[in-house]
Amino acid sequence: MIITNNGAMSMDIYDIIIIGGGAAGMSAAIYALRGGMKTLVLERLAIGGQAAKTYEIDNYPGFYNTPSGPDLMADFKKHAEKLGAQIRTEAVRDIINIDGDIKTVKTRRGEYNTKTVIFALGASPKKLGVKGEAELMGAGVSYCATCDGAFFKDLDTAVIGGGNTAMEDALYLSRFASHVTILNRSKRFRASKALLDKAYNNSKITILPDTVAEAFLGDMRLDTIVTKNTQTGEIGELKANGVIIAVGITPDTELAKKCGVALSENGFIITDTNLKTNIDGVYAAGDCRVSPLRQVVTAAADGAVSATSAINYLMQIGD
C-alpha cells in the first residue's frame, strides 16, 4: 500500500495513464498494452476525438476503402479493448505530484495513481469571434460537417477556411446541400492540391478567395453571411442557411498548463523527439502537441512513440 501526498490510500498503481481517447490515445493504449503495461485511458466525452467527426478518411495507409471517421475510431477502440484496455469516461481535473515517482490523477469520481502520464488531449475548433457567431451556434452555425451537415439538406450552405478540413467539409456537404460556397481569406489555400481540385471541379461548389465572414445574420436561424473582400474592402452578402467554420484548432491543453507542462506560444505542448515533455515520466501525443502535421496517421504514430517512450522510461527506473 502507498499513501499519496494528499492522504489518499491506494493499492492500485497504473504503469501508464492516458488522458484522451482520440486516435493518439487509442494508439498509445494499444502499444502500452502490447508492452505489458497496466494501462488506463480517461476520456471526458467519447472515444474518437476529432477523427470521429470526420465524414471520410481517405489518407490512412492501407484503408483504401475510405472508412468514415467514426468507423475507423470504433476499430481503434475495439483493438485496444481486445488487448484489455481499461477505458473510463471521466474528466481529469488535476494531477497531483506530477513530477514525482507516483503521480495522482484526480477526476470528479476518484483518484488514480500512476508512474507515467501521456497527454492525448486533442484540440477544439477555433472560433471566428464575429457578430452573430455565438448567438446562431447550433442554429445554422456549426464547426462539424458530419455532426450537423444533415440539417443542411437542400439548403444553401457555406464553408469558411482554406485547409484540408474545409475542402473535405465542402465536398461532404455537396452531396446533399443545394449549393456550397467556400470562403477563404486569400488566394492561397492550405489544402492539398488533390482536395482543392476536387472542390474546383464540383459543380455544386463555388470558391470565393480573398473573402472573410464579417457577421452572421438571422432571426433565430442563420440566413445571411455578411462578407468582406480582403483586397478591396468591399462588403457583400451571401445567402446561406448553414455554415461550417473550419479555420483551425485550439489545443485543449489547460490541464497540462495547470500541471506545469511547458507549452508553445500557441498553447501546444512542447516535446522532444521521444515525445517527452519537460517533466520526467510525462509525455504528449496527437493534436495537443507541437507538430508540423495533425492527421489521424500522425496522431496514431504519436501514440506509438509516446507509449514506447513511457515503457522505456519505466524499464529504466525499475519497480
Side-chain angles (χ1 to χ4, degrees), residues 48-261:
Q50 290 295 311
K53 298 178 181 179
T54 302
Y55 166 66
E56 155 179 299
I57 296 176
D58 65 355
N59 58 359
Y60 196 85
F63 288 76
Y64 58 88
N65 58 334
T66 60
S68 71
D71 285 346
L72 183 59
M73 289 303 97
D75 285 343
F76 271 46
K77 182 183 179 184
K78 289 175 184 175
H79 193 163
E81 289 176 331
K82 178 182 177 181
L83 296 170
Q86 295 182 46
I87 303 172
R88 297 179 184 171
T89 306
E90 297 185 40
V92 176
R93 292 184 169 182
D94 200 1
I95 303 176
I96 305 300
N97 196 35
I98 192 169
D99 55 355
D101 293 337
I102 302 299
K103 312 168 197 305
T104 301
V105 179
K106 299 181 68 174
T107 73
R108 184 177 62 82
R109 297 180 182 178
E111 299 182 356
Y112 304 94
N113 295 312
T114 183
K115 299 174 185 176
T116 65
V117 170
I118 296 175
F119 285 115
L121 301 166
S124 301
K126 284 185 178 179
K127 309 295 192 297
L128 293 178
V130 302
K131 178 182 176 182
E133 181 179 8
E135 293 82 356
L136 293 172
M137 191 180 303
V141 175
S142 173
Y143 305 87
C144 176
T146 54
C147 304
D148 299 328
F151 296 116
F152 304 156
K153 181 177 173 60
D154 298 326
L155 300 177
D156 287 330
T157 63
V159 173
I160 298 175
N164 285 339
T165 299
M167 297 305 127
E168 290 168 352
D169 287 350
L171 290 165
Y172 169 61
L173 291 173
S174 71
R175 298 184 176 210
F176 46 82
S178 176
H179 193 79
V180 183
T181 302
I182 299 173
L183 281 63
N184 187 46
R185 66 171 46 254
S186 72
K187 292 183 177 67
R188 297 183 62 184
F189 291 83
R190 292 177 290 108
S192 68
K193 185 179 184 301
L195 283 173
L196 195 56
D197 286 346
K198 282 185 180 180
Y200 269 117
N201 292 327
N202 190 310
S203 62
K204 292 180 69 176
I205 295 176
T206 298
I207 299 178
L208 297 181
D210 298 330
T211 306
V212 295
E214 286 284 284
F216 299 111
L217 306 179
D219 183 13
M220 304 299 291
R221 181 167 184 86
L222 176 70
D223 61 42
T224 302
I225 300 174
V226 178
T227 64
K228 179 180 179 180
N229 186 291
T230 57
Q231 298 300 308
T232 66
E234 180 182 357
I235 300 296
E237 290 189 351
L238 175 68
K239 291 298 181 182
N241 300 114
V243 60
I244 302 296
I245 299 173
V247 294
I249 60 173
T250 299
D252 293 329
T253 52
E254 281 303 312
L255 174 64
K257 180 180 179 181
K258 179 180 180 181
C259 295
V261 173

Side-chain angles (χ1 to χ4, degrees), residues 16 37 116 118 281 283 305-315:
I16 301 174
M37 298 294 108
T116 65
I118 296 175
Y283 304 84
V305 173
S306 62
T308 301
S309 296
I311 292 170
N312 290 337
Y313 169 78
L314 291 168
M315 292 176 64

